Amino acid sequence: MNKRIAIRQMSAHVEQEVTLEGWLYTKTDKGRLQFLQVRDGTGICQAVVFKKNVSSEAFDHARKLTQESSLRVTGTVKADARAPGTPGGYELDVTDMEVVQIADEYPIQPKEHGVEFLIRNRHLWIRSARQWAVLRVRATVIRAIRDWLDDNGFLNVDTPILTPNAAEGTTTLFEIDFHGEPAYLAQTGQLYNEANIFAFGKVYCFGPTFRAEKSKTRRHLQEFWMVEPEIAFCDLNGLMEIEEQFVSYIVQRCLAENAEELKVLERNISSLERVAPSFPRIHYDEAVALLNRAAAAGESVPGYEDKVPHIEWGDDFGSPHETYIAAQFDKPVFVHHYPTQVKAFYMEPEPDRPQVCRSVDLLAPEGYGEISGGSERMAEVDKLTAGIKAHGLPMASYDWYIDLRRYGTVAHSGFGLGLERTVAWICGAAHLREVIAFPRILGSMRP
RNA sequence: UCCUCGGUAGCUCAAUCGGCAGAGCAUCCGGCUGUUAACCGGGUGGUUGUUGGUUCGAAUCCAACCCGAGGAGCCA
């Protein structure tokens, strides 16, 4: 029995005889010479089958291999600059092979396909090189998120997915039946996070969240993952410092650990290398002025056909606005102090100017939009109850939340970072559906 | 909910003014010792999204519906 190794470890086994277990990605048959591209989940490696080097049975088996057939292939690892693969530069000079199964005709070819077809075959599409690379980067982003928070004094306290009422509005909730009582799939764990900081100081929750928005764009999913850190004794400025450290760490971890994956994705690395503290910060007032100067000059929005639309002070930004602002910077940019009226009820108004609140969105470069939204939370009972009234929300639902301000209230802040938008940005992915294994998008949840 | 675009072979797409349903890839057969989405020769493969209408004749024109994509709004 030969040593079984992973393709990723091939460079450590040059001139040794090893066995790879995997699937045939594609094949080039040259008569007495066959090139097999073998995947094993860790990479793709070229296995070269010379007729004179193997038994006639093994050679015939190789000829019969179809795309995605499962196999064990044994041979000597050779360093060869001509060898393609991930990582390339090494190939297997085959001495023997065993077919596990000859696969049926495989629907996905290593060429262009339409979106509908690929989504319908998502269970197979995840084997393709691009999808494989994206999902590996996603796993790195998740590790980086947990590592940074765990190493910086945050305690992971997860929050419920079944909730009795909306945190921020009711139109985008998935309703389910909780034994005769209506319940909703969580859109955020933030309110519970705020309870948790009074026990643990700095906490985060990290899990799936659900939005029944009728949104059908490349930036929306019905089910997506969000990490939500929440910090006691922290104001808006403190929050932005944490966010820029956190996001920079995530990006740098991907650069360090996923060079091969980013190469498969043909991602421009230099724009990611710039992602380091500190990030530019602009006030909502400045952003409005910037947008209206651009609108007056008739500038167009990168990636859109339309010109920059004029904006009235007090309105929230639309996607074209966000995209234009983000395009003015070569790093993620903070926009802070949004108008109080367009933001959620719990955001702390600026004491000297209550028309704006201590909120901040982080906009990713290259058109990937808002990857994070956060704020300093209202710390006083009276302000909070006024805020709940002003938004027309049922006071009774928030009794425990208001309670938190009665027992040792402090300035506190938090944000939510959208996992898929972050991964899409790092990978340069065209659509969020590519950065989660089984996307839930409007009108489709199969497979 | 609204706007725009689309649906033809397993996949990606052609089909001129309404006039024989056509390629490439995949698959199958044959050839080839350095291929990178190989190449060369041959074969298989069709209820043109659905229903109805106009017409001698419809993939093509008309109507309704179904499905998909991108975007707006909303949001991470």
Side-chain angles (χ1 to χ4, degrees):
Chain A
M1 186 71 185
N2 279 290
K3 191 171 185 181
R4 286 179 296 175
I5 66 161
I7 288 170
R8 206 149 260 251
Q9 267 84 57
M10 277 181 74
S11 60
H13 297 272
V14 176
E15 297 302 330
Q16 295 173 19
E17 186 165 75
V18 300
T19 296
L20 302 177
E21 297 176 304
W23 299 266
L24 186 74
Y25 194 57
T26 183
K27 179 176 76 167
T28 302
D29 188 340
K30 293 275 295 173
R32 294 193 191 84
L33 168 63
Q34 296 179 75
F35 297 101
L36 312 179
Q37 309 299 326
V38 178
R39 301 188 297 111
D40 76 342
T42 73
I44 299 176
C45 158
Q46 175 158 277
V48 184
V49 189
F50 281 98
K51 189 164 189 175
K52 65 179 170 60
N53 291 352
V54 297
S55 68
S56 59
E57 292 79 17
F59 191 80
D60 289 342
H61 284 149
R63 295 203 74 174
K64 288 193 169 61
L65 287 173
T66 55
Q67 190 183 352
E68 290 303 316
S69 290
S70 42
L71 57 103
R72 287 189 191 85
V73 62
T74 298
T76 308
V77 177
K78 302 282 187 187
D80 191 320
R82 294 171 299 183
T86 304
Y90 299 91
E91 64 184 21
L92 199 67
D93 188 9
V94 176
T95 54
D96 196 14
M97 70 165 298
E98 176 193 345
V99 177
V100 179
Q101 189 212 23
I102 297 292
D104 284 355
E105 185 177 337
Y106 190 69
I108 301 179
Q109 302 166 35
K111 58 172 235 179
E112 298 220 357
H113 294 284
V115 169
E116 184 184 359
F117 172 77
L118 290 171
I119 277 292
R120 194 166 70 239
N121 289 288
R122 183 59 170 169
H123 55 300
L124 305 175
W125 188 25
I126 53 177
R127 304 181 188 192
S128 299
R130 257 194 87 82
Q131 303 307 309
W132 169 87
V134 164
L135 292 173
R136 286 177 63 94
V137 171
R138 177 189 170 101
T140 302
V141 171
I142 291 170
R143 277 201 311 280
I145 284 170
R146 292 196 178 279
D147 286 350
W148 191 89
L149 292 167
D150 292 342
D151 292 346
N152 282 277
F154 288 76
L155 191 77
N156 177 211
V157 184
D158 283 316
T159 52
I161 285 171
L162 297 181
T163 58
N165 55 268
E168 308 178 2
T170 50
T171 54
T172 59
L173 291 165
F174 285 106
E175 185 174 341
I176 59 159
D177 175 22
F178 190 76
H179 305 290
E181 189 183 339
Y184 306 93
L185 298 181
Q187 292 183 310
T188 169
Q190 185 211 311
L191 304 190
Y192 299 97
N193 265 345
E194 288 186 60
N196 291 333
I197 57 164
F198 291 98
F200 304 105
K202 296 197 279 187
V203 303
Y204 70 97
C205 62
F206 189 18
T209 86
F210 306 89
R211 305 264 170 106
E213 292 164 357
K214 301 275 191 244
S215 296
K216 212 174 162 157
T217 83
R218 71 183 82 173
R219 296 182 306 277
H220 290 88
L221 294 171
Q222 303 282 291
E223 175 182 319
F224 66 95
W225 282 58
M226 183 160 68
V227 59
E228 296 179 274
E230 190 78 25
I231 311 103
F233 295 101
C234 178
D235 63 11
L236 185 66
N237 283 325
L239 188 72
M240 286 191 273
E241 282 166 22
I242 288 169
E243 276 196 57
E244 64 196 9
Q245 295 286 339
F246 180 55
V247 169
S248 299
Y249 177 81
I250 293 166
V251 172
Q252 296 310 319
R253 273 285 289 270
C254 290
L255 287 172
E257 296 182 13
N258 293 115
E260 284 298 329
E261 286 79 4
L262 293 170
K263 198 167 80 187
V264 169
L265 294 168
E266 297 174 309
R267 183 67 168 100
N268 175 359
I269 301 294
S270 61
S271 66
L272 295 177
E273 285 170 342
R274 284 195 292 270
V275 180
S278 60
F279 296 167
R281 302 173 185 197
I282 65 171
H283 193 285
Y284 173 84
D285 292 346
E286 291 174 68
V288 168
L290 182 72
L291 288 167
N292 284 337
R293 273 199 303 276
E299 285 190 52
S300 51
V301 183
Y304 283 77
E305 293 190 357
D306 300 330
K307 307 283 186 199
V308 177
H310 180 83
I311 184 166
E312 289 297 322
W313 194 99
D315 288 346
D316 205 355
F317 298 142
S319 292
H321 295 130
E322 282 184 359
T323 303
Y324 178 81
I325 293 168
Q328 308 312 304
F329 301 90
D330 62 0
K331 282 190 196 185
V333 55
F334 288 116
V335 181
H336 56 84
H337 283 97
Y338 282 82
T340 307
Q341 61 183 14
V342 301
K343 287 293 181 182
F345 70 91
Y346 48 72
M347 297 190 181
E348 178 76 18
E350 193 59 42
D352 300 336
R353 191 186 170 197
Q355 296 80 13
V356 296
C357 61
R358 292 184 174 174
S359 55
V360 59
D361 285 354
L362 183 62
L363 308 182
E366 301 167 73
Y368 285 92
E370 183 184 341
I371 56 172
S372 141
S375 71
E376 188 174 326
R377 321 303 192 186
M378 281 177 181
E380 293 167 29
V381 174
D382 295 346
K383 275 191 196 168
L384 186 58
T385 52
I388 291 170
K389 272 191 200 129
H391 281 77
L393 298 168
M395 196 66 66
S397 303
Y398 296 97
D399 52 357
W400 66 264
Y401 183 67
I402 296 163
D403 232 15
L404 301 173
R405 278 71 179 168
R406 293 201 173 94
Y407 307 107
T409 193
V410 295
H412 63 285
S413 302
F415 65 93
L417 180 81
L419 176 65
E420 285 78 10
R421 286 188 182 175
T422 303
V423 175
W425 162 49
I426 292 171
C427 290
H431 195 299
L432 289 197
R433 69 179 155 242
E434 293 192 37
V435 308
I436 183 167
F438 294 97
R440 295 298 172 245
I441 52 186
L442 189 61
S444 161
M445 55 174 190
R446 260 182 279 273

